[in-house]
Amino acid sequence: LYLNSATFVGDAGLALAAEVRTWRAGKVQLLLVHESDPAHGGCDFENFYATTPEDLVAGGLYSAPAVELYPPPHRDVSLALVAKTLGAVRRTLAARLSLDRLSALSTVEIARSSVARLSLAGRHAEKGRARRAARPLARVS
């Protein structure tokens, strides 16, 4: 769960809270990733206690430690920690050389790509919800 200043804020935040409740009910294990770089909407972790619905906080959403995404020059280390937490393993040079170009991406590049996709997906979902909310309701005859 990518946590930044927009997490659990507005209509998109309400929709995210509903998804998180569904995941938790289904016993989906969540990895909390806390964005601390202001260029990416980073904020103090305490902010989430004010914006997260009470039932999620009381239910232990923040009981597990979050992996923090630091700004450069420490960003790559943070991304490697995210990837490692997700199960990435270090490959030997010989193993990397025997793989094709795509699978030879470093752990840091994979994590950076994943975080970028999460960030973009959140922005696209928010825009989509705004467009749906702006549409006139269909008439029922």
Side-chain angles (χ1 to χ4, degrees), residues 41-122:
C43 60
D44 290 330
F45 196 86
E46 292 78 29
N47 181 66
F48 304 121
Y49 289 102
T51 59
T52 304
E54 254 185 64
D55 64 304
L56 293 175
V57 174
L61 178 63
Y62 298 129
S63 61
V67 177
E68 190 155 358
L69 290 178
Y70 290 99
H74 307 293
R75 186 81 171 180
D76 287 348
V77 173
S78 297
L79 292 169
L81 289 173
V82 169
K84 185 175 180 182
T85 304
L86 291 172
V89 293
R90 187 179 196 128
R91 294 191 177 125
T92 65
L93 179 58
R96 275 189 257 153
L97 292 175
S98 68
L99 298 173
D100 66 6
R101 194 173 193 193
L102 282 178
S103 64
L105 289 173
S106 74
T107 302
V108 171
E109 289 166 327
I110 293 168
R112 181 179 288 131
S113 172
S114 297
V115 169
R117 278 187 300 225
L118 284 172
S119 181
L120 282 174

